[in-house]
Amino acid sequence: MKRETVVVLDFGGQYNQLIARRVRECNVYCEIYSYKTSIEKIKEIQPKGIIFTGGPNSCYEEDSPTYSKEIFELGIPILGICYGSQLMMHLLGGKVEKAPVREYGKIEVNVDTNSKLFQDVSPKTICWMSHNDYISQAAPGFAISAWTDDCPVAAAEYTEKNLYAVQFHPEVLHTQEGTKMLSNFVYNVCGCTGDWKMDSFVEESIKAIREKVGDGKVLCALSGGVDSSVAAVLLSKAVGNQLTCVFVDHGLLRKNEGDEVEAVFGPDGPYSLNFIRVNAQERFYEKLKGVEEPERKRKIIGEEFIRVFEEEAKKIGAVDFLVQGTIYPDVVESGVGGESTVIKSHHNVGGLPDYVDFKEIIEPLRNLFKDEVRKAGLELGIPEYLVFRQPFPGPGLGIRIIGEVTAEKVKMVQDADAIWREEIAKAGWDKKVNQYFAALTNMRSVGVMGDERTYDYAIALRAVTTTDFMTAESAEIPWEVIGRTTSRIVNEVKHVNRVMYDCTGKPPATIEFE
Ligand code: XMP
């Protein structure tokens, strides 16, 4: 049976992944495609519905992203959001122009509750607006279904053709009844039944992996993080001892992490995997010598990682498949799926070298968002402490040491990070924040220790709250926790004489430092 799919057509807006997540939260599978995707491809997918995203352009300008008008004739329901709504109107004969009053923020919107889209929504509801242009006149055939004081067409619909347009952003939580609206779209308008559930994902994946692998040998890149752990357990359930897990200690792990991973996945742990630990620390440090540029560091670490696997594979002999724990946001952020700008080339995707000595790469989590990976992990019976472990990037401490990586700097950041994590946990803040770590800034400054002048490094502490890791807020950790951590770090970690707390959210910063 074919899985119901909603396609998000990406016109370059910043909330595109959020739209896909919200749709999936309604138990409907959703994928993001660039607006450059051909209409043939869309037809092939046979989506139950299509969502046009927002975007930074003005649809009436010549070079702005657009789409063939034919899409409106496919009989597939379409919801246009922000730029997507304007483009729909523009292409179908409505009028879009610069708004006399720019709307930005939470705005009270009047909605027609007879609309399928606004069923069970309050007649006056708070929505998130962010637009310079506006629809001054809806296209022929469209009825206006929402409006504000400054925006005569906040929503419009052509019900016979199942075309819907909303100027605001139902996907962001500031739109108080946005989830309801998206659920109305996928259920009331597209007629979805909601067949995207984690138990069916696990079952289907195991079946698909078995079919694909046959009696082939599988090699899994296990890092001990949530993604690769879930991928490894999924694979081991599917192909048992045809699977070998190789854990590369690249010397950029957190303090004692190598031993911890071995304790869980090694021969004394609860899983019966073939487990190989490779101690490749020196190799990575050698490759990283003198390299300061973040993207190069990421690429080097990613490539070296693959090389180590190739070598292990050769030792094991005739390996057919390599498993990686790539997840959907990695794919989209690397510019593979959607239209958004490449922000960082993610370890699992951007760093692949040209030559890979395996038949194929298996990425069983490639279509999942992080919270879906966790749900799948629980479904697979992986212990909660592993499933809810805070994320740790593939390139590890390599991207938490600004500038050149050396063994000494790794030790500094490991020790500082261990102290920070210990103090955060002691204060009970580990449950309140989603990610917290220490980074080594490349800044050295003058200090005084005893009667001695010092010229040493500054550690930056980071703790963020986030639901999706695409946006994040700096957490308001109590001063006493930061204070205690600071004195411990400057006392216990050699060559650190200054500690700073990073107060920046994402955007404008990212969670990691590089
Ligand atoms: P940024 O720094 O992009 O991080 O705001 C968002 C989340 O992604 C993690 N991260 C990575 N994870 N490979 C990974 O598997 C990577 O290369 C990578 N870079 C960042 C980061 O820890 C945060 O949770």
Side-chain angles (χ1 to χ4, degrees), residues 298 344 346-348 391 393-395 399 435 469 506 510-512:
R298 281 174 168 273
K344 295 176 184 181
H346 269 259
H347 175 57
N348 298 329
I399 57 170
Q435 198 170 4
F469 296 90
K506 172 185 179 177
T510 52
I511 295 173
E512 300 292 346

Side-chain angles (χ1 to χ4, degrees), residues 223 227 298 325-327 329-330 333 343-349 370 390-396 399-400 434-435 437 462 464 466 468-472 506 509-514:
S223 73
D227 303 341
R298 281 174 168 273
T326 317
I327 67 170
D330 301 342
E333 281 202 16
I343 299 165
K344 295 176 184 181
S345 69
H346 269 259
H347 175 57
N348 298 329
V349 185
K370 196 87 186 184
Q390 61 162 326
F392 187 64
I399 57 170
R400 291 182 183 170
N434 305 100
Q435 198 170 4
F437 57 85
R462 185 111 171 100
V464 297
T466 172
D468 51 23
F469 296 90
M470 291 181 302
T471 60
K506 172 185 179 177
T510 52
I511 295 173
E512 300 292 346
F513 281 63
E514 289 191 336

Side-chain angles (χ1 to χ4, degrees), residues 213-480:
V213 169
D215 56 5
K217 263 195 190 173
V218 187
L219 183 63
C220 176
L222 181 65
S223 73
V226 187
D227 303 341
S228 71
S229 300
V230 173
V233 176
L234 193 59
L235 259 292
S236 81
K237 298 237 169 178
V239 299
N241 62 7
Q242 285 161 253
L243 169 72
T244 301
C245 283
V246 172
F247 165 58
V248 177
D249 189 339
H250 53 19
L252 303 166
L253 296 168
R254 287 164 288 197
K255 194 173 181 175
N256 301 331
E257 197 171 17
D259 297 341
E260 284 165 17
V261 172
E262 189 169 349
V264 176
F265 289 100
D268 300 329
Y271 304 107
S272 45
L273 315 166
N274 300 316
F275 179 84
I276 297 173
R277 175 172 177 175
V278 190
N279 288 312
Q281 295 89 333
E282 292 311 320
R283 251 177 97 151
F284 280 84
Y285 297 157
E286 192 56 38
K287 287 269 169 187
L288 289 167
K289 212 177 239 173
V291 183
E292 293 182 352
E293 209 272 310
E295 278 298 295
R296 263 201 74 210
K297 280 161 68 176
R298 281 174 168 273
K299 288 254 152 56
I300 289 171
I301 298 167
E303 278 182 30
E304 198 57 15
F305 216 85
I306 297 289
R307 295 280 169 250
V308 175
F309 275 109
E310 286 171 353
E311 287 169 23
E312 283 312 307
K314 278 196 190 115
K315 282 188 217 156
I316 297 162
V319 165
D320 303 290
F321 299 94
L322 173 72
V323 183
Q324 289 206 312
T326 317
I327 67 170
Y328 200 51
D330 301 342
V331 177
V332 179
E333 281 202 16
S334 292
V336 179
E339 202 39 48
S340 358
T341 339
V342 178
I343 299 165
K344 295 176 184 181
S345 69
H346 269 259
H347 175 57
N348 298 329
V349 185
L352 272 186
D354 302 335
Y355 174 73
V356 183
D357 198 11
F358 308 95
K359 197 162 98 188
E360 222 175 303
I361 289 194
I362 302 184
E363 296 174 309
L365 312 176
R366 196 181 164 85
N367 293 330
L368 301 192
F369 285 105
K370 196 87 186 184
D371 47 347
E372 294 174 319
V373 173
R374 293 206 162 100
K375 275 192 206 153
L378 293 177
E379 198 59 47
L380 283 161
I382 301 175
E384 285 197 15
Y385 76 91
L386 261 183
V387 166
F388 291 101
R389 193 171 190 172
Q390 61 162 326
F392 187 64
L397 301 180
I399 57 170
R400 291 182 183 170
I401 294 170
I402 298 175
E404 189 190 11
V405 174
T406 64
E408 293 68 37
K409 287 183 182 173
V410 169
K411 174 92 173 68
M412 265 187 256
V413 77
Q414 275 180 339
D415 288 345
D417 180 68
I419 293 170
W420 180 225
R421 284 190 288 134
E422 206 180 300
E423 291 301 330
I424 287 261
K426 255 200 262 169
W429 272 81
D430 52 337
K431 312 266 181 325
K432 299 184 205 165
V433 293
N434 305 100
Q435 198 170 4
Y436 50 102
F437 57 85
L440 185 68
T441 70
N442 204 17
M443 186 197 88
R444 292 172 78 194
S445 66
V446 174
V448 54
M449 264 286 210
D451 290 330
E452 295 281 313
R453 174 188 190 273
T454 59
Y455 186 59
D456 278 331
Y457 284 98
I459 281 282
L461 303 177
R462 185 111 171 100
V464 297
T465 52
T466 172
T467 48
D468 51 23
F469 296 90
M470 291 181 302
T471 60
E473 262 137 57
S474 174
E476 288 185 33
I477 306 289
W479 192 243
E480 60 188 84

